[in-house]
Amino acid sequence: MARYYFDLTDEHGVALDEEGLELSNMRAVQAEAAKSVGDMARDAIISAPATGGRRRMAIDVRDAGGPVMQVTFSFAIETFDARTPSGDH
């Protein structure tokens, strides 16, 4: 099995994975990347200001030979003013 490293990139910079994971094939690499980007997205959405904004993040996967995959995710938060009375359009 090969060892793959999952580096996290967002607007704060890059966090290099120094341990990596031993995985058997690219399907397993893709599944792990999806899990990682899902965790990053959840944390980013929870911590994002309610005033909105756009964010982009990526998981860059590499092995001993270099890059093998990149998974990116972006999202935008839009807040609507729900305080308008329902009779006012």
Side-chain angles (χ1 to χ4, degrees):
M1 279 196 278
R3 182 167 293 272
Y4 296 91
Y5 301 88
F6 296 80
D7 302 328
L8 314 177
T9 303
D10 66 10
E11 69 276 1
H12 301 295
V14 178
L16 295 177
D17 177 4
E18 296 183 19
E19 293 181 30
L21 293 172
E22 287 189 1
L23 299 168
S24 59
N25 57 45
M26 289 304 288
R27 200 67 165 143
V29 170
Q30 186 173 338
E32 184 62 32
K35 179 182 173 291
S36 296
V37 81
D39 291 344
M40 283 178 64
R42 181 193 62 242
D43 293 344
I45 291 169
I46 289 170
S47 65
T51 56
R54 295 188 181 279
R55 304 240 341 239
R56 181 187 177 279
M57 56 197 65
I59 304 290
D60 294 305
V61 184
R62 59 188 164 83
D63 65 8
V68 296
M69 181 182 295
Q70 182 182 63
V71 178
T72 61
F73 179 78
S74 62
F75 68 90
I77 296 176
E78 296 181 53
T79 304
F80 303 106
D81 188 358
R83 294 172 290 194
T84 304
S86 61
D88 295 345
H89 294 285

